[in-house]
Amino acid sequence: MTDQIDRAKLAQALENEEDLFHRAHPKSYELYQRARKSLHGGVPMLWMIRWAGSFPVFVKEAKGARFTDVDGNSYIDFCLGDTGAMTGHSPDATVEAINEQIQKGITELQRRFKLPYWQFALTATDANRFALRMARLITGRKKILVFNYCYHGSVDETFITLDEEGTPISRPNNMGPQVDPRETTKVIEFNDIAALETALSARDVAAVLAEPAMTNIGIIHPEPGYHQALREITRKYGTYLIIDETHTICTGPGGYTASFSLEPDFFTLGKPLAGGVPAAVYGFTEEISQAFNAKLDKDDADVGGIGGTLAGNALSIAAMKATLQNVLTDEFYAKAAKLQEKFTAGVEGVIAEFNLPWIVKRLGNRSEYWFRPTPPKNGGEAHAAIDPELDRYMHLFALNRGILMTPFHNMALISPDTTQEDVDYHTKVFREAVAGLFG
Ligand code: PMP
């Protein structure tokens, strides 16, 4: 029974063990000090700070049911990744890669996206959810703010929209929400500085979650000065700014953030990050790292609503590193931007030829045609411009001739393998589709 334990004796025994641990793990300690400079808490996923010792053991290699740490200590592993490695550990090379690749992968994230601390998730949805939780914990504020017709993955708080009178409502078809999103979220139109000031001035908003240019209701660019105002107003009212670059990573190698020198508090990214392997990241500032640590109850870090067993898995991290270093390169972005210019010019040529009240919007290697004469300023305007029948016709016409456009809107992305011929063929098919309607 616990009350029969001699507590003084236990405290002494624990101290002895801590001493032993320190002496047996000098290299793990060294690596931990290094990891703390780039990984929040010195670990790829928050729950990993919950070790019995005062720092984690760094694994050198593992095979079957045994592993060896970087100090040469070997262990029988009954934990087995909390079921994640119930199959027995992978061959030596796979596990060795974890250490090396985490280091290199993180350096690449810091270099590109300019934030010092990073954590892993498996989906952009989760990266956003975790960033929101951190922001609410630090600020002690319950609400978040999003833009009308945003999409940030299946993040519960974001399924809110404005009705025709401008009143917030639960987004139509919001499936089984646990609470009415009006309790958690404020929603305003993008590009509306006055509405932003009003919404944040109550000082109850923990974070603004935003795409730097909206992409999920079509491409909507920020108006000149909007980002500066967004940053100034969020700072003024103590609200964090989370920039979700999951789609706008199409802008350039460092996303919209690097191309336009934004200064987010959090940066989230998923989807193309690991070339199709599930992987996402969220990065944040030094100030956030410290404020978060000050609020963190380390003993319950693993059950606090942030993290996932396989979030920092070796496969995702290796794929992420390879994709960032070899696929989403500066050269790729330069080449894709040129091709996208041609794509856009082709579509614009047809629009001019048929004298249509349509436009094309472009963001890096992404473009899109709109069936309206001027660019929409916000989600509400964009939503009102949707013509489902015309959309369907344009899509099906293309599909029937061997071209797949992005569903829900007429969006096209350029990949490293897209060719000039592909772009020209699209222009030809687009012209035929238009001619079929207006010719
Ligand atoms: N953020 C943005 C901007 C997105 O467009 C999406 C998905 N379309 C997500 C987050 C969520 O990504 P996932 O579904 O992979 O979690």
Side-chain angles (χ1 to χ4, degrees):
M1 279 176 45
T2 50
D3 56 7
Q4 287 170 337
I5 288 173
D6 178 343
R7 293 284 148 187
K9 199 167 166 187
L10 176 60
Q12 185 57 54
L14 191 55
E15 210 182 299
N16 293 348
E17 291 306 315
E18 272 168 9
D19 212 44
L20 192 62
F21 179 80
H22 268 259
R23 277 186 280 123
H25 298 93
K27 285 190 182 154
S28 275
Y29 180 75
E30 223 174 86
L31 280 173
Y32 173 61
Q33 296 308 329
R34 203 165 98 199
R36 281 174 59 184
K37 294 188 186 129
S38 54
L39 290 171
H40 182 69
V43 292
M45 284 171 286
L46 189 63
W47 62 262
M48 288 186 170
I49 64 171
R50 250 199 101 183
W51 295 116
S54 51
F55 53 90
V57 170
F58 282 67
V59 174
K60 179 160 185 277
E61 54 190 18
K63 195 173 178 67
R66 284 171 198 271
F67 70 92
T68 311
D69 72 15
V70 290
D71 290 290
N73 305 300
S74 48
Y75 307 81
I76 300 167
D77 186 2
F78 286 113
C79 169
L80 291 172
D82 190 18
T83 322
M86 201 179 74
T87 50
H89 290 289
S90 323
D92 297 354
T94 310
V95 178
E96 245 170 61
I98 296 174
N99 240 330
E100 273 173 36
Q101 282 162 351
I102 283 179
Q103 301 299 334
K104 291 175 193 159
I106 290 291
T107 311
E108 178 67 13
L109 293 171
Q110 287 178 333
R111 184 188 71 78
R112 269 192 201 226
F113 306 124
K114 313 288 182 229
L115 285 166
Y117 291 102
W118 293 88
Q119 292 275 277
F120 300 123
L122 289 177
T123 62
T125 298
D126 266 356
N128 285 329
R129 286 180 47 231
F130 301 155
L132 287 172
R133 273 189 177 259
M134 288 177 72
R136 284 199 305 264
L137 179 75
I138 296 169
T139 58
R141 298 178 179 179
K142 285 192 181 146
K143 299 233 170 184
I144 68 156
L145 182 139
V146 297
F147 296 109
N148 197 23
Y149 288 105
C150 69
Y151 189 74
H152 296 282
S154 48
V155 178
D156 292 300
E157 298 102 308
T158 59
F159 291 101
I160 188 165
T161 188
L162 294 169
D163 70 9
E164 268 143 39
E165 278 79 52
T167 308
I169 52 165
S170 185
R171 192 158 175 170
N173 206 28
N174 184 4
M175 301 173 199
Q178 60 276 66
V179 294
D180 185 327
R182 286 172 296 193
E183 286 178 32
T184 57
T185 311
K186 296 186 182 183
V187 55
I188 59 169
E189 290 288 9
F190 194 58
N191 279 323
D192 186 343
I193 296 174
L196 182 71
E197 178 105 34
T198 307
L200 298 193
S201 63
R203 295 181 187 270
D204 57 353
V205 176
V208 171
L209 174 59
E211 282 192 283
M214 294 185 80
T215 67
N216 278 292
I217 187 81
I219 298 169
I220 304 173
H221 288 281
E223 292 182 334
Y226 185 68
H227 269 291
Q228 200 186 341
L230 175 61
R231 189 61 280 204
E232 273 168 23
I233 295 168
T234 45
R235 284 203 174 118
K236 179 171 164 191
Y237 295 111
T239 296
Y240 286 125
L241 179 59
I242 306 172
I243 292 288
D244 178 351
E245 291 268 14
T246 300
H247 278 182
T248 49
I249 191 68
C250 65
T251 314
Y256 195 99
T257 296
S259 293
F260 293 90
S261 307
L262 305 188
E263 293 175 9
D265 298 298
F266 292 88
F267 178 109
T268 63
L269 174 61
K271 284 197 176 181
L273 181 61
V277 174
V281 292
Y282 53 114
F284 40 90
T285 61
E286 173 75 45
E287 181 245 314
I288 287 173
S289 170
Q290 286 183 16
F292 184 66
N293 280 344
K295 297 259 180 183
L296 189 65
D297 178 351
K298 290 208 162 76
D299 287 340
D300 281 326
D302 57 333
V303 289
I306 293 179
T309 308
L310 292 176
N313 76 83
L315 176 66
S316 295
I317 290 170
M320 192 188 306
K321 184 192 148 207
T323 307
L324 286 175
Q325 294 188 334
N326 304 314
V327 187
L328 298 176
T329 57
D330 294 1
E331 297 74 48
F332 157 65
Y333 278 99
K335 195 182 139 214
K338 280 219 179 85
L339 219 47
Q340 187 55 267
E341 259 170 49
K342 294 203 167 118
F343 184 100
T344 311
V347 175
E348 276 168 346
V350 175
I351 291 173
E353 182 190 340
F354 288 86
N355 199 20
L356 300 174
W358 296 0
I359 49 162
V360 191
K361 295 302 294 173
R362 206 191 123 196
L363 181 66
N365 70 344
R366 170 189 303 261
S367 79
E368 190 168 59
Y369 24 99
W370 288 82
F371 309 128
R372 53 174 276 153
T374 54
K377 204 173 121 176
N378 57 47
E381 275 186 32
H383 186 255
I386 292 172
D387 184 335
E389 214 179 2
L390 187 51
D391 260 345
R392 266 196 76 205
Y393 166 74
M394 296 301 287
H395 272 270
L396 259 185
F397 192 96
L399 193 69
N400 287 334
R401 284 150 192 83
I403 292 178
L404 179 67
M405 299 293 287
T406 313
F408 321 133
H409 43 147
N410 297 287
M411 197 273 282
L413 281 159
I414 303 291
S415 84
D417 303 312
T418 309
T419 64
Q420 174 70 52
E421 290 74 53
D422 297 338
V423 168
D424 292 343
Y425 182 62
H426 171 270
T427 307
K428 177 176 169 285
V429 169
F430 178 75
R431 194 187 173 285
E432 285 168 14
V434 169
L437 279 186
F438 303 100

